[in-house]
């Protein structure tokens, strides 16, 4: 059910410097970033403590980005926002800070916003809900329509601006029962307000926050004593006269069942964990009570029940339309037997429904992700329990090798008196297929969680489950790294083909929205197998091709103000798809060339991109005769009619621009001075495109075309294409079952003797670049951090990937190599 993927250890440091101690809290974002905390004590002065936040990308765990948070007290809460790009941290002094990426770099973080409740330790923290909720329907996993598999649920934001736009902000609960709300106004300022949860404020040792579909907020709170009630409050946030108003209302409370049991009444005196099962379901809550020797876990549900009527009123005539009065009551769903002492709890984030009908469907389909919650124990073990019935679904014998049944290692540990290695913090990934745990020695453990929970499934069922989760990530935009943990090399080809088939069954509008995401998913899959590594290069080249084509078309402007509905780019695509002429000059005659008029300076700045397009066309055609040999990068384009059509359109645009500014044309090294290279390449490209058009059956290239392509290397110098660097992420090393030991460092420099390339500006940077660069955490694409371009055309191109790589990955900084 669970196995270690890798263990991330801190590097050895000199004794005179700071050394890491026990991390306290952990949080996993939808962008595949894990944040956790630690306290760094100065060896010379133990009172000098720095409260650190560490952020890692799970595919590059050796790169840890550490932030000296500036918090005066121990950090008690970490919370990512829905986009995965901002992080909240709160401490024991009431200070809350909002962290965001500086220059859109995952390796650089800054805090410019924050709020404070002086002297009020924060016990619960959450971003306000933005009103976006997606339901995942397991019973429809066999449907061909994404809209049936994943549907938008009606859910109101916590607070809306004019026009219904959700307002951003956060909510926190303090130890004295104070709730504080901070709102991010459109002008960038912060509006903060505080209010007591109830009239009689009392100690709040633990709290959690959930949201309702009507836009309300529910806070659960306990004073930490298991004999005291667990209180629930409704919190409503509104804006009145540019001020934040907070209204609270007491809801039905509950007493833990273990305190009413005569046997356990005094056994578990302390509530150690209080969590709503999901942030978007305030009607189900998980409670854990503990003592020094063990714990017990209970799951409760809020239900609407009929209110019994006094006998005096039962004999009267009922009024038409009158309904029986109802009341909300907490009812216990399930409880565990006596357990080892719980050290951490992780709840699944996958939004599957948990009604009895949905659970039966999940049982029938054997789809288990999202059904289990994880508990870690002080003896080092870890269990996954069903989120409602709390029966055990899987056991992992921990980072320290916890005692298995019949093992006497626990007895040996008691004799030595050494504290057992166990998880202090635990977090599920966003598809619940991985667990990140931080132990009491500061090591980060990454665990695979089987999608079948140990059930023996046939290959087709396994592929269907993985495909379902990949589609979910593609629709939501969440990172799919944790799904790749379970993909074996033999599965890659089938998953890529099935994913493409499902994508092609969607309507045209949805295909356009998901066009780049599906290519990025295919590229990530193909990197997992040596047999498909060349196809990964093709998919990354396709992402670049799509982006360049879109940029080129966006530069075109209609000649007249009252132009038809179609843009010049759309008309170009339509004319090129209908005109099957292989003569580029004849195709140009059908276009309004005045729409292609650009100033000379912007055209010249686009020359590197134009050169890449020209070189790529030449490379593809020159390799056409070798298509029967070992698969090489680029061969995936030879049967891709849409990509060949895109190249054909760009060749026409470049030809027209060359008439305005000859210096922007691609440069070819030809054996004959009279050779019209673009005319020749367009003719051959068009003949190849005719063999694989989307509106007709695919055909094999005729012998005449192959013969002409064989002669290309004798007519033009064929360039060697600069493909993306080999993926250096940890995912390609996790195909085996043995866990990896990953040492953590804080900087990684580019390798020596490597010819570096700016993959997005198509510029050579040399062996030892002196400019700061950034690399994509997903595909490894490298580009310069600062732009050397000043023209609007290139700025428009760079805006496409300033926040994220073309594949959707995050950017991390690469320091310059000055040796």
């Amino acid at each position: 059910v669970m196995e270690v993927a890798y263990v991330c250890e801190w590097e050895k440091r000199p004794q005179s410097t700071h050394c890491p101690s026990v991390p306290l809290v952990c949080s996993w974002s939808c962008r595949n970033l894990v944040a956790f905390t630690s306290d760094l004590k100065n060896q010379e002065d133990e009172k000098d403590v720095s409260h650190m936040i560490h952020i890692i990308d799970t595919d590059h765990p050796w790169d840890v980005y550490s932030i000296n948070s500036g918090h005066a007290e121990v950090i008690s809460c970490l919370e990512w926002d829905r986009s995965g790009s901002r992080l909240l941290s709160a401490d024991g002094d009431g200070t809350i800070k909002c962290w965001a990426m500086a220059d859109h770099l995952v390796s650089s973080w800054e805090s410019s916003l924050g709020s404070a409740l002086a002297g009020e330790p924060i016990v619960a923290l959450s971003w306000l809900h933005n009103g976006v909720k997606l339901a995942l329907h397991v019973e429809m996993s066999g449907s061909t329509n994404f809209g049936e598999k994943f549907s938008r649920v009606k859910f109101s934001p916590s607070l809306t601006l004019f026009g219904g736009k959700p307002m951003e902000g956060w909510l926190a609960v303090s130890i004295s029962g104070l709730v504080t709300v901070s709102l991010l106004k459109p002008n960038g300022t912060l509006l903060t307000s505080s209010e007591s949860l109830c009239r009689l404020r009392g100690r709040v040792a633990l709290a959690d926050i959930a949201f309702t579909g009507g836009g309300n907020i529910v806070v659960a709170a306990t004073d930490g004593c298991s004999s005291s009630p667990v209180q629930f409050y409704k919190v409503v946030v509104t804006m009145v006269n540019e001020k934040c108003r907070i209204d609270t209302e007491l809801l039905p409370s509950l007493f833990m069942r273990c305190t009413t049991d005569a046997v356990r009444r005094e056994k578990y005196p302390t509530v150690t964990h209080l969590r709503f099962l999901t942030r978007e379901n305030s009607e189900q809550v998980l409670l854990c009570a503990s003592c020094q020797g063990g714990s017990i876990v209970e799951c409760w549900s809020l239900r609407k029940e009929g209110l019994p009527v006094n006998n005096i009123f039962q004999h009267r005539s009922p009024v038409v339309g009158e309904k029986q009065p109802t009341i909300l009551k907490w009812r216990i769903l399930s409880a565990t037997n006596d357990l080892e002492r719980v050290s951490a709890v992780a709840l699944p984030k996958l939004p599957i429904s948990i009604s009895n009908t949905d659970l039966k469907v999940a049982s029938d389909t054997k789809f288990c992700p999202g059904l289990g919650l994880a508990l870690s124990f002080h003896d080092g073990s870890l269990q996954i329990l069903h989120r409602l019935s709390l029966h055990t679904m899987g056991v992992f014998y921990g980072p320290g090798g916890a005692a298995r049944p019949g093992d006497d290692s626990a007895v040996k540990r008691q004799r030595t008196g050494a504290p057992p290695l166990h998880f202090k913090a635990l977090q599920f990934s966003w598809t619940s297929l991985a667990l990140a745990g931080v132990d009491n020695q500061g090591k980060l453990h990454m665990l695979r969680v089987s999608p079948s929970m140990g059930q023996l499934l046939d290959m087709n069922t396994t592929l269907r489950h993985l495909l379902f989760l990949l589609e979910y990530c593609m629709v939501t935009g969440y990172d799919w790294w944790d799904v790749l943990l379970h993909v074996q090399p033999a599965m890659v080809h089938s998953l890529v083909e099935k994913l493409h088939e499902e994508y092609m069954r969607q309507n045209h509008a949805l295909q356009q929205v998901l066009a780049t995401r599906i290519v990025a998913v295919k590229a990530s899959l193909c990197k997992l197998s040596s047999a498909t590594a060349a196809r990964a290069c093709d998919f990354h080249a396709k992402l670049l091709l799509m982006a360049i084509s879109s940029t080129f078309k966006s530069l075109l402007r209609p000649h007249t103000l009252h132009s038809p509905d179609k843009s010049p780019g759309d008309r170009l695509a339509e004319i090129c798809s209908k005109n099957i002429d292989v003569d580029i000059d004849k195709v140009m005659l059908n276009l309004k060339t005045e729409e292609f008029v650009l100033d000379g300076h912007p055209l010249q700045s686009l020359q590197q991109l134009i050169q890449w397009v020209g070189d790529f066309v030449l490379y593809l055609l020159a390799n056409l005769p070798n298509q029967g040999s070992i698969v090489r990068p680029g061969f995936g384009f030879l049967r891709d009619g849409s990509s060949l059509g895109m190249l054909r359109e760009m060749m026409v645009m470049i030809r027209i621009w060359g008439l305005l500014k000859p210096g922007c044309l691609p440069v070819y090294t030809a054996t004959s001075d009279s050779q019209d290279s673009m005319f020749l390449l367009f003719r051959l490209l068009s003949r190849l495109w005719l063999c694989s058009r989307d509106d007709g059956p695919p055909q094999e290239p005729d012998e005449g075309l192959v013969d002409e392509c064989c002669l290309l290397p004798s007519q033009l110098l064929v360039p060697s294409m600069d493909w993306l660097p080999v993926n250096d992420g940890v995912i390609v090393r996790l195909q085996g079952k043995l866990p990896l030991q990953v040492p953590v460092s804080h900087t990684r420099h580019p390798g020596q003797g490597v010819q570096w390339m700016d993959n997005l500006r198509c510029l050579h940077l040399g062996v030892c670049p002196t400019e700061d660069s950034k690399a994509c955490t997903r595909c490894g694409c490298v580009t310069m951090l600062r732009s050397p371009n000043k023209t609007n055309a290139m700025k428009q191109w760079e805006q496409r990937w300033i926040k994220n790589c073309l594949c959707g990955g995050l950017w991390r900084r690469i320091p310059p190599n000055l040796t």
Side-chain angles (χ1 to χ4, degrees):
V1 175
M2 286 173 282
E3 60 184 8
V4 177
Y6 63 75
V7 180
C8 190
E9 299 186 32
W10 289 88
E11 64 184 349
K12 300 292 183 183
R13 300 188 185 183
Q15 292 296 319
S16 59
T17 61
H18 294 186
C19 60
S21 68
V22 182
L24 299 168
V25 288
C26 175
S27 185
W28 193 329
S29 82
C30 63
R31 302 297 300 277
N32 218 32
L33 299 177
V34 174
F36 57 99
T37 64
S38 72
D39 298 335
L40 298 188
K41 293 184 179 180
N42 193 328
Q43 293 287 349
E44 299 176 356
D45 182 6
E46 292 192 358
K47 293 183 180 180
D48 182 12
V49 180
S50 298
H51 303 287
M52 308 294 293
I53 299 174
H54 310 287
I55 298 174
I56 66 162
D57 160 44
T58 54
D59 202 31
H60 298 83
W62 45 78
D63 284 332
V64 60
Y65 313 117
S66 296
I67 310 166
N68 190 338
S69 67
H71 281 289
E73 297 291 338
V74 172
I75 298 172
S76 56
C77 302
L78 287 177
E79 189 75 20
W80 290 100
D81 72 346
R82 288 300 184 98
S83 69
S85 58
R86 290 181 299 183
L87 178 70
L88 289 177
S89 63
D91 67 12
D93 192 41
T95 301
I96 301 172
K97 294 189 176 186
C98 177
W99 301 90
M101 296 182 198
D103 299 323
H104 310 291
L105 294 173
V106 73
S107 53
S108 181
W109 295 82
E110 60 185 6
S111 173
S112 57
L113 292 171
S115 59
L117 284 175
E120 292 275 349
I122 303 299
V123 294
L125 181 66
S126 174
W127 290 89
L128 296 181
H129 203 284
N130 62 0
V132 177
K133 183 182 178 183
L134 201 70
L136 187 145
H137 302 286
V138 179
E139 72 278 9
M140 302 301 294
S141 60
S143 171
T144 58
N145 188 347
F146 284 177
E148 295 177 355
K149 295 180 182 180
F150 321 106
S151 65
R152 179 81 177 265
V153 178
K154 187 177 180 181
F155 209 88
S156 298
S158 303
L159 184 63
T160 56
L161 295 165
F162 179 77
K165 182 181 178 181
M167 193 166 192
E168 294 184 315
W170 59 80
L171 176 140
V173 180
S174 76
I175 199 169
S176 69
L178 205 61
V179 58
T180 178
V181 175
S182 297
L183 303 177
L184 293 169
K185 298 176 73 174
N187 60 7
T189 59
L190 199 64
L191 181 63
T192 301
S193 181
S194 302
E195 186 60 64
S196 177
L197 280 173
C198 59
R199 291 181 180 178
L200 297 176
R201 285 170 62 183
R203 181 175 183 270
V204 176
L206 297 172
D208 199 18
I209 301 165
F211 302 93
T212 68
N216 297 326
I217 303 164
V218 177
V219 174
T222 174
D223 64 3
C225 181
S226 60
S227 59
S228 300
V230 179
Q231 303 279 9
F232 295 84
Y233 305 91
K234 181 172 79 172
V235 179
V236 181
V237 182
T238 53
M239 285 282 287
V240 180
N241 298 327
E242 294 297 316
K243 292 183 179 180
C244 178
R245 176 177 171 178
I246 303 172
D247 296 304
T248 62
E249 178 185 334
L250 187 63
L251 299 176
S253 58
L254 67 88
F255 284 89
M256 290 192 69
R257 194 177 71 171
C258 65
T259 60
T260 62
D261 186 343
V263 178
R264 295 192 176 104
R265 185 174 298 166
E266 306 294 336
K267 188 173 182 180
Y268 301 109
T270 308
V271 181
T272 53
H273 298 87
L274 165 62
R275 300 284 297 276
F276 287 106
L277 284 186
T278 68
R279 276 279 161 89
E280 294 163 340
N281 184 359
S282 62
E283 298 177 356
Q284 288 174 329
V285 68
L286 187 81
L287 294 162
C288 175
S290 305
C291 63
Q292 281 297 111
S295 298
I296 189 169
V297 176
E298 298 177 0
C299 184
W300 290 74
S301 177
L302 186 65
R303 295 179 179 176
K304 186 180 290 187
E305 298 182 357
L307 191 64
V309 181
N310 191 284
N311 292 334
I312 298 175
F313 303 102
Q314 287 182 353
H315 301 292
R316 72 181 181 86
S317 306
V319 179
V320 178
E322 184 181 22
K323 296 181 180 179
Q324 181 185 7
T326 58
I327 189 172
L328 292 172
K329 274 191 176 182
W330 285 100
R331 295 292 184 187
I332 189 164
L333 288 177
S334 54
T336 64
N337 295 322
D338 295 340
L339 303 170
E340 287 286 339
R341 190 180 176 198
V342 174
S343 61
V345 177
L347 296 173
K349 301 183 177 76
L350 201 65
I352 62 167
S353 182
I354 47 178
S355 66
N356 291 332
T357 305
D358 295 302
L359 292 178
K360 183 179 183 303
V361 169
S363 175
D364 294 341
T365 58
K366 295 181 169 53
F367 184 85
C368 296
L371 286 183
L373 58 91
L375 300 178
S376 65
F377 302 94
H378 278 266
D379 68 349
S381 64
L382 191 151
Q383 290 187 24
I384 291 187
L385 308 182
H386 194 283
R387 64 198 292 184
L388 290 188
S389 66
L390 296 182
H391 73 258
T392 303
M393 303 176 74
V395 181
F396 173 71
Y397 291 101
R404 291 168 170 78
D407 191 0
D408 60 352
S409 61
V411 178
K412 295 177 182 177
R413 198 160 41 236
Q414 288 174 5
R415 290 173 184 166
T416 59
L421 200 64
H422 62 274
F423 292 118
K424 295 277 289 183
L426 207 59
Q427 277 276 315
F428 267 112
S429 66
W430 282 69
T431 62
S432 304
L433 293 187
L435 264 173
V438 189
D439 65 28
N440 53 341
Q441 291 186 2
K443 297 178 184 177
L444 178 72
H445 300 250
M446 186 61 63
L447 281 73
R448 292 186 181 98
V449 181
S450 168
S452 65
M453 286 295 169
Q455 302 177 83
L456 293 177
L457 303 180
D458 60 87
M459 181 60 79
N460 286 334
T461 305
T462 302
L463 287 175
R464 188 170 67 248
H465 291 170
L466 294 176
L467 179 67
F468 187 47
L469 291 172
L470 285 172
E471 291 169 347
Y472 169 71
C473 292
M474 200 164 68
V475 169
T476 58
Y478 295 160
D479 200 285
W480 50 87
W481 179 86
D482 50 335
V483 183
L484 301 183
L485 284 173
H486 302 271
V487 177
Q488 297 300 315
M491 302 177 182
V492 170
H493 179 74
S494 297
L495 277 175
V496 170
E497 295 303 315
K498 290 179 182 294
L499 193 64
H500 182 74
E501 290 173 9
E502 293 297 319
Y503 169 79
M504 294 305 296
R505 290 172 179 157
Q506 310 311 309
N507 60 62
H508 182 67
L510 185 57
Q511 285 185 19
Q512 284 188 313
V513 172
L514 303 179
T516 56
R517 284 184 195 167
I518 188 173
V519 177
V521 174
K522 289 178 182 178
S524 300
L525 286 169
C526 289
K527 287 182 178 180
L528 302 179
S529 171
S530 57
T532 55
R535 294 188 67 187
C537 294
D538 289 355
F539 289 128
H540 284 299
K542 186 169 183 177
L543 284 172
L544 183 59
L545 179 65
M546 292 164 65
I548 293 176
S549 173
S550 181
T551 301
F552 282 5
K553 288 180 180 178
S554 67
L555 295 173
L556 307 180
R557 295 289 181 268
H559 182 60
T560 59
L561 186 63
H562 302 288
S563 59
D565 293 337
K566 291 183 180 178
S567 66
D570 292 335
R571 282 199 295 276
L572 170 66
E574 183 181 11
I575 291 171
C576 287
S577 64
K578 292 179 179 178
N579 193 327
I580 60 174
D581 207 310
V582 297
D583 187 328
I584 190 170
D585 295 323
K586 290 182 179 179
V587 176
M588 286 167 52
L589 293 176
N590 297 312
L591 294 169
K592 297 179 181 178
T593 52
E594 60 270 13
E595 294 180 340
F596 294 80
V597 175
L598 295 178
D599 295 334
H601 198 52
L603 281 178
Q604 191 61 46
S605 67
L606 295 171
Q607 206 280 329
Q608 288 88 2
L609 301 181
I610 292 172
Q611 185 69 48
W612 184 88
V613 173
D615 288 347
F616 192 64
V617 171
L618 175 55
Y619 174 87
L620 291 181
L621 293 172
N623 279 277
L624 178 63
N626 302 323
Q627 59 180 325
S629 61
I630 299 173
V631 175
R632 302 176 189 173
F635 277 15
F637 285 88
L638 301 179
R639 295 288 184 274
D640 187 351
S642 62
S643 296
L644 293 175
M646 205 180 299
L647 285 169
R648 195 164 171 264
E649 294 166 15
M650 285 195 282
M651 291 288 280
V652 173
M653 273 193 286
I654 293 169
R655 181 77 163 188
I656 296 173
W657 287 342
L659 299 176
L660 303 171
K661 181 75 174 177
C664 76
L665 289 172
V667 178
Y668 296 103
T669 304
T671 55
S672 171
D673 293 336
S674 60
Q675 174 73 57
D676 188 344
S677 303
M678 285 203 68
F679 184 90
L680 171 64
L681 292 176
F682 184 85
R683 180 167 59 82
L684 298 177
L685 178 65
S686 297
R687 290 174 62 185
L688 179 60
W689 168 70
L690 289 172
C691 298
S692 54
R693 291 176 68 189
D694 294 334
D695 56 355
Q699 304 172 7
E700 288 296 317
D702 59 83
E703 291 186 6
L705 173 60
V706 175
D707 290 342
E708 286 199 62
C709 289
C710 281
L711 296 174
L712 268 181
S714 63
Q715 296 171 302
L716 298 169
L717 181 64
V718 180
S720 59
M721 297 303 296
D722 293 293
W723 304 104
L724 286 182
V726 177
N727 190 343
D728 65 341
V730 75
I731 191 70
V732 295
R733 312 180 200 179
L734 297 177
Q735 300 306 307
K737 295 296 183 181
L738 294 177
L740 294 179
Q741 295 290 330
V742 182
V744 173
S745 63
H746 284 267
T747 55
R748 285 176 66 85
H749 294 270
Q752 302 294 321
V754 177
Q755 182 66 242
W756 287 87
M757 179 83 182
D758 188 321
N759 302 112
L760 296 181
R761 295 186 180 92
C762 303
L763 296 172
H764 288 276
L765 303 179
V767 176
C768 301
T770 57
E771 285 289 324
D772 283 354
S773 300
K774 57 185 180 182
C776 175
T777 57
R778 182 181 288 166
C779 69
C781 173
V782 175
T783 187
M784 283 185 289
L785 191 58
R786 286 178 290 273
S787 171
N789 302 298
K790 298 234 172 113
T791 62
N792 289 332
M794 280 306 289
K795 285 181 180 178
Q796 188 172 335
W797 164 243
E798 291 169 356
Q799 284 296 318
R800 289 184 175 272
W801 40 264
I802 189 169
K803 291 184 179 180
N804 304 294
C805 179
L806 295 177
C807 71
L810 298 169
W811 293 115
R812 59 189 176 98
R813 187 189 187 101
I814 300 178
N817 189 351
L818 302 177
T819 57

